[in-house]
Amino acid sequence: MNILYDERLDGMKPQLDKAAIRDSLVQAIPGLTLLHREEDLHPFECDGLSVYRTLPMLVALPETLAQVEQLLKTCHRLGVPVVTRGAGTGLSGGAMPLEHGVLLVLSRFSRILEIDPEARIARVEPGVRNLAISEAASPHGLYYAPDPSSQIACSIGGNVAENAGGVHCLKYGLTVHNVIKVEVLTIEGEHMTLGSDALDAPGFDLLALFNGSEGMLGVVTEITVKLLPKPETAKVLMASFDDVEKAGNAVGAIIAAGIIPGGLEMMDNLAIRAAEDFIGAGYPVEAAAILLCELDGVEADVDDDCATVRRVLEAAGATGIQQARDDAERALFWAGRKNAFPAVGRMSPDYYCMDGTIPRRELARVLKGISDLSEQYGLRVANVFHAGDGNMHPLILFDANTPGELDEAEALGGKILELCVEVGGTITGEHGVGREKINQMCAQFRPDELATFRAAKAAFDPKELLNPGKNIPTPARCSEFRTIKSAEAAVPTHSQGRPE
């Protein structure tokens, strides 16, 4: 794997051995479930990005806030690193454990503490599933808007850590726009409340800083989220195109027409075929690309918007436009999109999911660039993404059992992310940096910007015990990364375009 060495991890080896650390935790925290046998540790060796695996030293499964507090205090005193894990559905290696660290699993914190329909808020523990919030709020005519494709399984604590989005974030925002307050424990076991039940909170906006901080600043123990009224109606248009670039240009045209859809998603032919074989969503399998455009709100407004979007799509060159006839067909259209990842997984032994975000105006250019890179590296790429906000999820198909293909897939993924940066975008939209994209942080940010990130972490975690070796690269790592990139640029490519 193309993972550069991180010298910070040398300092993460505790002076105490595993048995001594386990004994200290058992003595300090009565009743704590602490896994230490190898067969018990294997289920926790990776998150959703399973190509990166490390067996943790210990796995802690606390059930009370007092146990979490004491665990953090003890690990801080002993100098033991801590990685926090929720449902383990993340796709960047952010919850990958450390060989010389404790994996803090919060899956048992799964209670919905309060649904307040008048204030339109829900107060929940971090292990609550994303979808469970909407299910609990549904009897009150409310729901929680961010809806990642993994919403049936992913936890709200993990959503906060990665600032997760979903197919409806174009109109309703990411996690950061839908969380109003969090309770946090620092590595020293200190309690903090960030945000407020009111419209604003005193002091700096540290709540926004914690959203997307990937478990590097503190451990979130309670989250208060906004609930929204269910729209009066929602309708979906599916447009097919004979050219991917036409579909990409249609996205910008819809927004330029003054329409902000509830969701605006795009899939290319490879993804269309995979989803149709898997779900039977009624997708046109001969299309080069499809757009799914959901419009929600008051019935009369939605009807007007549907007519406007239909005209825009026709002008953009759509070869077919189909409106879902009822809620059942609407749900089926979305089922195909939300199951695109597992559907593509049936086409190949392995796939590698990217998460770059680009300006909408660059969609056509970047799609062409991905196609060229796919041909250059000899690996198929299925494109599935949140087209409305430019958050792309290219899925690189490969076989890890074929020597060299994993390295090629990682190299291709790095090139795609660097292309996103080149056109004014970013290397991640919602999956986070974690371990996977840490090299591309060196391409995205200048040394002084990375120094600012390190300073922010040091303010909360001066010993760098919380999720070390993730997200923020060291200066030495970036220097090595740039040296490698310079050397690669100087090496001529194969006559057919694939790197030697």
Side-chain angles (χ1 to χ4, degrees), residues 471-491:
N471 191 287
I472 308 172
T474 62
R477 186 186 190 102
C478 284
S479 177
E480 185 179 353
F481 173 78
R482 294 184 181 110
T483 298
I484 290 172
K485 285 296 177 182
S486 297
E488 287 177 351
V491 175

Side-chain angles (χ1 to χ4, degrees), residues 120 141-143 171-172 228-236 294-304 326-327 330:
R120 292 181 179 173
L142 304 171
Y143 77 110
K171 184 173 183 178
Y172 297 107
L228 300 180
K230 293 179 182 178
E232 179 182 308
T233 189
K235 298 182 180 181
V236 174
E294 179 167 287
L295 303 157
D296 61 11
V298 179
E299 184 90 33
D301 291 343
V302 170
D303 288 341
D304 289 345
D326 50 34
D327 284 344
R330 169 177 162 262

Side-chain angles (χ1 to χ4, degrees), residues 202-443:
F204 293 116
D205 188 6
L206 297 179
L207 177 61
L209 179 65
F210 261 73
N211 276 278
S213 61
E214 302 191 27
M216 299 179 64
L217 305 181
V219 176
V220 175
T221 59
E222 185 181 303
I223 304 109
T224 303
V225 302
K226 293 192 297 187
L227 300 175
L228 300 180
K230 293 179 182 178
E232 179 182 308
T233 189
K235 298 182 180 181
V236 174
L237 295 172
M238 177 172 63
S240 53
F241 292 83
D242 58 10
D243 181 79
V244 172
E245 293 185 49
K246 289 180 182 177
N249 290 328
V251 172
I254 290 171
I255 306 299
I259 304 294
I260 305 297
L264 185 54
E265 301 289 301
M266 182 172 168
M267 301 167 65
D268 70 3
N269 183 260
L270 194 57
I272 292 167
R273 289 180 178 274
E276 184 61 20
D277 286 346
F278 186 41
I279 296 294
Y283 290 170
V285 294
E286 300 304 320
I290 63 169
L291 287 180
L292 293 175
C293 180
E294 179 167 287
L295 303 157
D296 61 11
V298 179
E299 184 90 33
D301 291 343
V302 170
D303 288 341
D304 289 345
D305 287 347
C306 283
T308 299
V309 170
R310 184 179 287 273
R311 289 194 296 271
V312 170
L313 292 170
E314 289 171 348
T319 56
I321 302 172
Q322 180 181 346
Q323 182 171 321
R325 293 165 293 186
D326 50 34
D327 284 344
E329 188 170 44
R330 169 177 162 262
L332 191 59
F333 283 177
W334 281 123
R337 165 59 187 90
K338 289 202 169 189
N339 285 280
F341 286 13
V344 169
R346 298 167 74 236
M347 302 176 62
S348 173
D350 303 283
Y351 70 81
Y352 189 31
C353 178
M354 294 290 98
D355 178 45
T357 299
I358 61 172
R360 281 187 296 265
R361 65 178 180 275
E362 300 290 353
L363 273 172
R365 173 184 169 186
V366 172
L367 286 169
K368 176 64 165 59
I370 292 173
S371 177
D372 292 343
L373 287 168
S374 172
E375 183 177 349
Q376 177 184 336
Y377 280 83
L379 295 173
R380 293 181 297 166
V381 178
N383 286 290
V384 182
F385 53 95
H386 311 307
D389 60 0
N391 185 198
M392 309 185 74
H393 295 314
L395 303 172
I396 302 169
L397 279 58
F398 70 100
D399 185 352
N401 292 318
T402 300
E405 277 210 0
L406 173 56
D407 290 339
E408 292 287 86
E410 287 187 309
L412 172 53
K415 290 289 187 182
I416 290 173
L417 295 180
E418 289 156 26
L419 175 60
C420 292
V421 173
E422 180 184 322
V423 301
T426 180
I427 62 174
T428 181
E430 59 177 341
H431 293 175
V433 175
R435 187 72 169 160
E436 173 207 20
K437 304 181 188 74
I438 194 167
N439 291 343
Q440 278 66 45
M441 287 286 285
C442 305

Side-chain angles (χ1 to χ4, degrees), residues 86 89 106 124-128 130 133 144 146 148 154-165 174-184 194 206-225 429-432 471:
T89 59
L106 296 181
V124 302
E125 291 182 329
V128 170
N130 174 291
I133 300 176
Y144 177 62
C154 66
S155 64
I156 187 66
N159 290 176
V160 171
E162 305 293 359
N163 192 21
L174 302 164
T175 301
V176 67
H177 305 112
N178 289 274
V179 170
I180 64 172
K181 186 173 73 173
V182 295
E183 301 291 337
V184 174
L194 306 179
L206 297 179
L207 177 61
L209 179 65
F210 261 73
N211 276 278
S213 61
E214 302 191 27
M216 299 179 64
L217 305 181
V219 176
V220 175
T221 59
E222 185 181 303
I223 304 109
T224 303
V225 302
E430 59 177 341
H431 293 175
N471 191 287

